[in-house]
Amino acid sequence: MGFNVSVFTVVNLYTCDYGTGRIEAKNKLTQLELSVKKTANILEKGKEEAIERHLSAFKVITSEVDQCKRTVEELKLADKTDLEAIAEFEASVDEKIEAADDEVMRIKQWLQGKEAERDAEERKIEITRFDGSPLDWPRFWGQFTETVDKCSIAPVNKFAYLCGFLSPKVKTIIEGLPFDPEGYSRAKAILQDRYGKNSEVIKAYIKIIFDLPTINQVNLKKIHQFNDQLMHAVQALQTLKKLETVNDSVIHDTTHHKPNLEPLRQFVKTHLPDNHHFTVPAMSAEYLLNAINNLSCNKAKGVDSINIHLLQVGCNEVLPSLLYIYNTSITSGIFPDQWKISKITPVFKKGSRQNKDNYRPIAVLSVLSKILERFYGLHLLGYLQEHNLLTSSQFGSRPFHSCETMLLQLTDSLLNDMDKGNLSGILLIDFRKAFDLISHDLLLQKLAIYDLLPVHTGVPQGSSLGPLLFILFINDIPLVNKECNSYIYVDDTTLVKSGTSINTVRSHLQTGADNLSNWASENRMAIHPNKTKVMLIGSRQKLSTINEPLNVSICGTTISQTTCEKLLGVHMDDSLTWNTHISHVIKKYNNKLELVKRAKPYLTPKLLLLLYNSIAKPTLEYCCSVWGNCSTDALGRVTSAQKRAARILLNADYTIPSITLFKEINLIPIHDTICHRILLQTFKCIHNISPPCLSTLMEKPTHHHSTRAIANNNVHIPKARSNAGKRRFSFIASTLWNNFPNEAKKITSQPSFNTYCKSYFSQKL
């Protein structure tokens, strides 16, 4: 707030010939400067009488400076001084007067605040101070709004009340705001944004419910306390109109009891040697160098905005520092806080776009954190695989496992039962916000059973370690639910049970549903009954004799029975005909083809083919080894869609045979593509680079005689009693494999075998 010496230069310059006028103007400006400098010190002492005297003096000296300025102006005008110089002088002095006016306003606001505080004491408004607790915010803000904010008093007085009702810790976030109506509005906005978010209040009440003590004996006092705390939280959620929203994930969990971890302990005990612990070795410079160079430059940047390309260019310079950070993190067990911060992008899933629950949050973390996460994940997964600690039911986040392998295993089993004349019940479970509801305490308990040393401060949400930790959390589902066969892909859980009659299927499937519901309650997970579906699968002839529903229930809700449901991107119907799925695929494929068609005028033929292979072709070929056992008519519809694509790509009319077009752009017909995928999966099964449960479907001859089958590396073809048996993956795969050229079956490298298959089917065109 001090004055610049140029003011006095201006004053001296334009008053040097006016004797006492010059001296008086200079003195008044000096007094004004001293008054400005004193203000902060006087306010800091807080003596109201001294502040009032200072305010009075301020007003007098400001008025006197303004009067001197006018006197000097008159003298200059009389002396015919240049008008531009006079204007410059006026602007300089006015600037300092405005600064003094700001200080006067500051003093007035302070005095008004004191007056408002005295007024508050006289009014005796009693509101308990707000201490920053989210649970206390609705109470405090409701009382303050009704008692103070809606009153017809000055905003500055309301501001004083507000400050008086805040604890020192809370008050710090609004300190420094101007003591005026605008400052009051900003203070309310800051407090509401910080403490008034419904999500934080809801989380606090949910925590109260989760932390309710377990009552193991009859104790009326404890039961009353339990009921009072529960009803308080429920009523608060009801007041916030959020009770229905959290009902599925919370209310069912209030009855949870200590989870039964004994099956998991026994499972781990049979697989893990005594006194064996998981450890993470130090990261080597060679590993870090390769990890940096293998980063994709097309990935999004984290909040640190580190450019991957620049990191790769300068990796030799930063390598020692990064290596030190990584190895310090490994030895201390602490993940750097800055690497836990992520950029969140909501991606729409399905349903109403107005409902926030229909968006999936996609987190983008720092590229530096990803290197450390992958290093942890590499050794953790190696440890789990070495000791076979993951159940065979889990197909997600594991090497050699995929959506395709799970669906192949599932459909092979269903078709096998269909071949035997059995019915199969399939329960498709939907866990509500599975990743969000993971209990950290329970997760740490389970990690301890696996003899995993916990990371002290956790890992960031959205990291590559997240899915791996999640599958460890739910790894015991098949162990506690042996009534049904479980097929799990990360959080997509499917229970299957077969039987000769619908009553048998219903009974076993209901027991499996109850076991899973109990597991979910014990592990504080929430099943969404309205999104969980049940299907009865069998041959058309068998299903035509069934006139009653399955009637399976979860959490007291009867599960909706459907005849077709989407599982891992594939629409599965009750007879596994795949007609519905193929209709969806063709519709989606045609939409992508339309985009290719629109881009055609702007791209060369080579780029157009590249665009087709990037966006349209994968849509048609996704999991085609699973649904490729459909009828000839259904497969013909897919082939027709391919022919249309070829004519668009080559701008050809219908007089040219489609096979000629396929040859020109090397477009493999869908039938051969399916054979290629099945042969590639068969190769993986035979060479044990697929899930063990799938590899067992490819049986080699057990005798030791020198036969043609052994010499040709053939496999056993399972028996089939009906068309359903002939549609099994194991039947089709073994048949294709045995009829494939012997030179291909002798190949031991997967890339070489894949290249051979591509060449083989290309030559068939």
Side-chain angles (χ1 to χ4, degrees), residues 72 311 693:
V72 172
L311 180 64
C693 55

Side-chain angles (χ1 to χ4, degrees), residues 277-291:
H277 298 284
F278 168 68
T279 57
V280 180
M283 185 184 295
S284 66
E286 182 182 3
Y287 173 88
L288 179 54
L289 186 62
N290 290 333

Side-chain angles (χ1 to χ4, degrees), residues 532-550:
T532 297
K533 305 296 180 183
V534 66
M535 290 177 61
L536 185 64
I537 293 179
S539 64
R540 290 180 178 177
Q541 294 81 358
K542 189 77 174 179
L543 291 176
S544 64
T545 64
I546 306 299
N547 298 318
E548 55 182 309
L550 276 170

Side-chain angles (χ1 to χ4, degrees), residues 402-438:
S402 64
C403 297
E404 183 180 24
T405 57
M406 174 178 151
L407 291 170
L408 285 173
Q409 178 72 26
L410 173 60
T411 54
D412 187 273
S413 175
L414 294 173
L415 287 169
N416 185 38
D417 283 303
M418 198 183 297
D419 187 50
K420 295 176 182 178
N422 292 335
L423 293 170
S424 297
I426 176 170
L427 186 64
L428 298 101
I429 303 295
D430 184 274
F431 283 112
R432 190 178 185 275
K433 296 186 177 180
F435 280 77
D436 297 338
L437 294 181
I438 289 293

Side-chain angles (χ1 to χ4, degrees), residues 427 528-530 532-534 551-554 557-561:
L427 186 64
H528 204 308
N530 295 330
T532 297
K533 305 296 180 183
V534 66
N551 284 335
V552 176
S553 62
I554 286 184
T557 302
T558 301
I559 302 303
S560 173
Q561 183 171 340

Side-chain angles (χ1 to χ4, degrees), residues 240-311:
L240 293 168
K241 298 181 180 180
K242 292 294 180 180
L243 183 60
E244 294 300 324
T245 304
V246 301
N247 182 55
D248 292 332
S249 61
V250 177
I251 303 305
H252 294 307
D253 286 334
T254 60
T255 59
H256 73 266
H257 51 276
K258 189 175 181 180
N260 179 18
L261 300 178
E262 191 57 32
L264 181 60
R265 290 192 183 95
Q266 293 300 323
F267 172 77
V268 173
K269 187 176 180 180
T270 59
H271 290 78
L272 195 63
D274 294 336
N275 300 321
H276 188 91
H277 298 284
F278 168 68
T279 57
V280 180
M283 185 184 295
S284 66
E286 182 182 3
Y287 173 88
L288 179 54
L289 186 62
N290 290 333
I292 293 175
N293 289 328
N294 289 332
L295 290 172
S296 173
C297 294
N298 297 324
K299 297 296 182 180
K301 300 175 185 176
V303 292
D304 52 16
S305 299
I306 292 179
N307 186 289
I308 297 177
H309 179 67
L310 292 180
L311 180 64

Side-chain angles (χ1 to χ4, degrees), residues 433-454:
K433 296 186 177 180
F435 280 77
D436 297 338
L437 294 181
I438 289 293
S439 167
H440 291 184
D441 293 337
L442 288 178
L443 177 60
L444 290 176
Q445 290 181 42
K446 293 186 178 184
L447 291 179
I449 294 175
Y450 291 105
D451 279 332
L452 297 173
L453 300 178

